Amino acid sequence: LPISLPVMSDPARRPPLMPLDDALARLLALAAPLGRTDQVSTFDADGRVLAQDVVSPLQVPPADNSSMDGYAVRTADVTAAGVELPVTQRIAAGQPGTALPPGSAARIFTGAPMPAGADAVVMQEDTETLEGGARVRIQVVPAPGQWVRRAGEDVMRGATVLHKGERLAPAGMGLAAGIGLNQLLVASRPRVALFSTGDELVMPGDVAPQDMKPGAIYNSNRFFLRALLTRLGCEVSDLGIVPDNRAATLAALQSAAHGHDLILTSGGVSVGEEDHIKPAVEQLGALDLWQIAMKPGKPFAYGHVRRGEGDAAHFMGLPGNPVSSFVTFLLLVRPFLLKLQGATALAPAAMAMRADFSLPKADKRREFLRARRNAEGGLDLFGNQSSGVLTSAHWADGLIDLPAGQTIAEGDVVRFIPLAELLA
């Protein structure tokens, strides 16, 4: 993984804040697909990225069949309501019938193949059974093709039904199974090493709330970052909390580089005396520390840690504030990891929605506001948009993407990104 990064300049002459779109473009340019593949059961393919096109060896459905319980008829025999016909056969799903004689009907069930000669189905609600089922009265005049599913109307033989780079969802899994595939070739899961830095961090369960020392906080980032990585199909090695000292940071990075594609950390990516990530990554590889023009989430680091000659693990350092860490993961780490898997759809779908609030003060940075859809079809804004208020991310069901320098008046249309898109 040869990666060349520019050396950071003197902090006193640090470049201006980088636009988010530029940062994302730089990241994606460095995210070469890993190239490893796995053969997995179609049952286990949910969320995996296809490594090759899926081409159908057959047509679906294989033959014309009934989409209703009822009677298969020739429309030429039913030119007026009330026509009575003898019932000459009974056709259930999976049991092909015989050719339908003119002037007769076949009792047929949903999914059963259409008998030769029949060109329509009359659903049973529009019929009356006579003589114990030996005859039927047709109460409507059917149109040719009525309630008939045509052969190949779902999938044609030779059609590409799923594409390389597509991230599978349940419907796609069913589609693959429907053409007879019990195995699929998918991209291997990215291997991610995760750890947090900070002497102030404490794990829930290790110290009771009443026994917390002044300045200590529970490590919430570790929990949601691990969950986000798992949702993206990653194999996660949780390396815990690394103390705020250079030796421990170097040891953690060296260990994490081996056997992992990405090292992901939260906290310690600033330039303070206790922020050891920056010099440690530079000692073991290279680091580019970006100040991104986004709120929340300005501090972000990308680099690499060498693990052998010409080989390295990607490194990403997220801000320590929980909402900043959450948002930068969704907007920067998520597409990077999808690109590593060869996924083609990287950007989340956004929608235009009405703001049912006002935001009179503009920010110099592009903002991602935590908001929630309401019963009136608009958006409500969480009252406290601080980067330390994780409650806002839990309450919200999406992010408003607000350009720099822009205010919001009640009734304005804004760009809304549902969290369901980002958390899938």
Side-chain angles (χ1 to χ4, degrees):
L1 179 70
I3 302 173
S4 177
L5 294 173
V7 177
M8 283 297 297
S9 60
D10 186 330
R13 295 180 296 164
R14 192 169 298 144
L17 299 182
M18 182 185 296
L20 174 61
D21 291 339
D22 291 353
L24 181 58
R26 290 178 66 173
L27 279 178
L28 295 181
L30 293 164
L34 299 173
R36 304 190 304 266
T37 59
D38 299 322
Q39 195 84 23
V40 301
S41 165
T42 304
F43 272 123
D44 301 323
D46 188 27
R48 303 297 293 269
V49 177
L50 281 171
Q52 64 181 19
D53 289 346
V54 174
V55 178
S56 179
L58 47 78
Q59 61 183 12
V60 181
D64 291 357
N65 68 87
S66 175
S67 64
M68 288 284 178
D69 292 343
Y71 293 86
V73 299
R74 295 172 181 264
T75 53
D77 294 332
V78 188
T79 57
V83 168
E84 296 180 11
L85 298 172
V87 178
T88 56
Q89 57 183 308
R90 182 180 186 276
I91 310 172
Q95 299 176 2
T98 59
L100 184 69
S104 70
R107 179 72 168 117
I108 197 166
F109 298 90
T110 302
M114 291 289 289
D119 62 352
V121 172
V122 181
M123 60 181 179
Q124 63 188 25
E125 291 87 345
D126 293 329
T127 65
E128 181 182 352
T129 301
L130 305 172
E131 300 176 15
R135 295 178 65 81
V136 62
R137 178 179 293 124
I138 308 298
Q139 308 283 34
V140 298
V141 178
Q146 175 178 294
W147 305 123
V148 177
R149 293 187 290 223
R150 296 299 183 188
E153 73 173 30
D154 188 4
V155 177
M156 296 296 293
R157 182 182 289 107
T160 299
V161 297
L162 299 167
H163 294 84
K164 180 180 178 180
E166 183 174 342
R167 194 169 177 220
L168 284 167
M173 296 162 61
L175 190 54
I179 61 172
L181 300 184
N182 72 326
Q183 297 261 316
L184 292 169
L185 188 69
V186 298
S188 297
R189 299 181 185 276
R191 300 168 302 198
V192 181
L194 173 68
F195 65 84
S196 304
T197 65
D199 288 340
E200 76 279 12
L201 297 177
V202 175
M203 282 298 290
D206 289 350
V207 180
Q210 65 270 19
D211 297 328
M212 292 278 279
K213 296 178 180 178
I217 58 173
Y218 287 119
N219 186 2
S220 60
N221 294 16
R222 181 176 174 185
F223 287 82
F224 66 71
L225 290 175
R226 181 172 173 174
L228 289 169
L229 289 167
T230 301
R231 285 189 175 207
L232 282 169
C234 299
E235 294 180 1
V236 184
S237 299
D238 189 339
L239 305 184
I241 300 170
V242 175
D244 273 334
N245 68 70
R246 183 72 58 82
T249 304
L250 285 168
L253 289 168
Q254 286 178 315
S255 173
H258 294 282
H260 295 100
D261 304 301
L262 169 67
I263 303 168
L264 182 68
T265 67
S266 65
V269 294
S270 189
V271 291
E273 293 179 2
E274 296 301 319
D275 294 322
H276 298 287
I277 288 288
K278 179 180 181 293
V281 174
E282 288 175 328
Q283 181 176 332
L284 298 173
L287 182 73
D288 199 358
L289 181 63
W290 304 343
Q291 298 288 302
I292 301 177
M294 63 181 289
K295 180 182 180 181
K298 181 174 71 171
F300 178 85
Y302 173 81
H304 71 267
V305 176
R306 289 185 299 270
R307 59 186 172 211
E309 188 65 32
D311 190 26
H314 295 282
F315 169 83
M316 286 185 174
L318 303 181
N321 279 327
V323 183
S324 298
S325 188
F326 184 76
V327 172
T328 51
F329 182 100
L330 295 178
L331 300 180
L332 293 168
V333 182
R334 176 185 178 274
F336 184 88
L337 286 167
L338 290 173
K339 179 79 178 295
L340 289 186
Q341 297 175 73
T344 51
L346 305 178
M351 61 181 68
M353 293 196 69
R354 183 189 71 246
D356 287 348
F357 62 90
S358 62
L359 190 72
K361 185 178 179 181
D363 197 275
K364 295 180 180 180
R365 291 177 282 166
R366 182 176 174 182
E367 289 192 81
F368 290 89
L369 305 167
R370 278 75 70 204
R372 185 165 71 183
R373 286 167 283 199
N374 59 39
E376 289 73 42
L379 295 173
D380 295 328
L381 186 71
F382 192 79
N384 188 340
Q385 292 287 317
S386 168
S387 62
V389 180
L390 191 55
T391 309
S392 66
H394 171 70
W395 175 90
D397 65 3
L399 302 173
I400 294 174
D401 182 358
L402 184 64
Q406 185 170 310
T407 60
I408 299 174
E410 187 171 349
D412 283 352
V413 174
V414 296
R415 185 172 186 264
F416 181 72
I417 307 171
L419 282 178
E421 285 281 331
L422 295 166
L423 299 177

